[in-house]
Amino acid sequence: MSDSGIQLIVGLGNPGAQYAGTRHNAGYFLVDRVAERSGAELRPEAKFYGLMGRVNHPEGDLRLLKPTTFMNHSGRSVAAVCRYFDIEPSRVLIAYDELDLPVGTVKLKQGGGHAGHNGMRDSIAALGSADFWRLRIGIGHPGSKEQVIGYVLSHPSRADTEAIEDAINDAESCVPEMLAGEYQRVMNRLHSRP
């Protein structure tokens, strides 16, 4: 693994059957896909407030995390893992749902604000840094601010589900490059998706 590659992938979401498959859990979808493809098992870890897994890649070990603190307190889980394993924020990738991107779009970037996303707001505060990588998974916008909460906590249509799954599959296929610190290559690939 390069000395700038990703060591931890965090997927933001809400735990519980009532939230499974909702738009707000797009980050969970990515971690589930990485675990599934790599054969990693996600297990409850009380000290990390979430489900943790480990992937042995040729490029190096990768840890996977799904906080189970509920979205608004995701940072507690992210910070606990980073402290315990001594992982710098710049080597963390947080995947989450993005209202401001069209459904099925996926964008990689480093740093920035929280753009009103409570999981990101809490993660930035808990880490004391915004210098981590973000994988923004487009879920589209319902059209008005008043509809946002109901929209993100509802299930996407079949067509939207397929578009989001395609985006997640493409992002998952870029994990080796992210482990190697080849972020520009990943951005070129993901940002040029049709």
Side-chain angles (χ1 to χ4, degrees), residues 116-131:
H117 192 289
N118 290 332
M120 294 301 289
R121 178 186 282 119
D122 196 61
S123 296
I124 291 167
L127 287 171
S129 171
D131 192 35

Side-chain angles (χ1 to χ4, degrees), residues 99 141-154:
L99 284 162
H141 198 286
S144 76
K145 199 165 63 174
E146 294 74 28
Q147 295 174 295
V148 164
I149 292 174
Y151 179 76
V152 300
L153 295 178
S154 66

Side-chain angles (χ1 to χ4, degrees), residues 76-174:
R76 179 187 313 162
S77 177
V78 179
V81 173
C82 288
R83 277 194 304 270
Y84 187 86
F85 294 107
D86 195 25
I87 299 173
E88 293 294 319
S90 63
R91 302 190 72 179
V92 174
L93 174 73
I94 299 182
Y96 63 100
D97 58 303
E98 175 59 76
L99 284 162
D100 295 330
L101 290 177
V103 175
T105 306
V106 61
K107 302 281 185 188
L108 177 70
K109 74 172 200 168
Q110 185 178 28
H114 55 72
H117 192 289
N118 290 332
M120 294 301 289
R121 178 186 282 119
D122 196 61
S123 296
I124 291 167
L127 287 171
S129 171
D131 192 35
F132 51 87
W133 288 88
R134 297 114 190 273
L135 190 77
R136 300 158 60 218
I137 301 163
I139 61 166
H141 198 286
S144 76
K145 199 165 63 174
E146 294 74 28
Q147 295 174 295
V148 164
I149 292 174
Y151 179 76
V152 300
L153 295 178
S154 66
H155 291 81
S157 67
R158 179 174 289 183
D160 284 2
T161 297
E162 288 174 3
I164 292 167
E165 285 178 354
D166 285 347
I168 285 167
N169 285 334
D170 286 348
E172 186 277 333
S173 72
C174 294

